[in-house]
Amino acid sequence: MPTTELTAPLYAIKADLFRSLAHPTRIQVLEVLSAAPDHAASVSTLLAATGAEASALSQHLAVLKRAGVVTSARTGNAVVYRLSRPLVAELLVVARAFLREILSESGARLAAADDLPPLSDVHVGGERS
């Protein structure tokens, strides 16, 4: 189905969502929130879990918030971030399953390579013994 005037903005929105997820620290934040009770955690908890500098974490959280992936609320002196929707956690589950499948295929290929006959008379660089 070709892109139309109506579908083009939808693809752009989806691309923006994936761009907002495209950093290891952001994925780690989302996984911490997914595993937390009520899908929520304080900034101090996220700092400890990610090991990120406060300023860098703040920028990552701002990207996620602009994308609508997380929300924030002040509770006393603490700022608590929460997944905006449970679907975000489901997205991470699917992404992890996808990654595990890719890694298992790579592992199977590596195991198959290990089962190939040895090449004892050839050295790295093509030099023969």
Side-chain angles (χ1 to χ4, degrees), residues 7-23 26-27 30 60 62-70 91:
T7 60
L10 300 176
Y11 290 125
I13 292 167
K14 193 181 288 186
D16 286 343
L17 168 65
F18 283 111
R19 267 192 292 279
S20 75
L21 303 177
H23 193 281
R26 292 183 212 136
I27 296 297
L30 294 175
H60 289 303
V63 169
L64 293 171
K65 193 171 178 180
R66 275 192 305 273
V69 178
V70 299
L91 179 64

Side-chain angles (χ1 to χ4, degrees), residues 92-128:
L92 293 170
V93 168
V94 171
R96 185 172 288 185
F98 179 79
L99 177 62
R100 290 180 60 82
E101 192 171 295
I102 288 172
L103 292 175
S104 72
E105 289 172 3
S106 297
R109 286 188 204 121
L110 183 58
D114 289 344
D115 290 339
L116 292 172
L119 301 173
S120 59
D121 65 337
V122 177
H123 295 282
V124 175
E127 296 176 16
R128 291 192 168 262

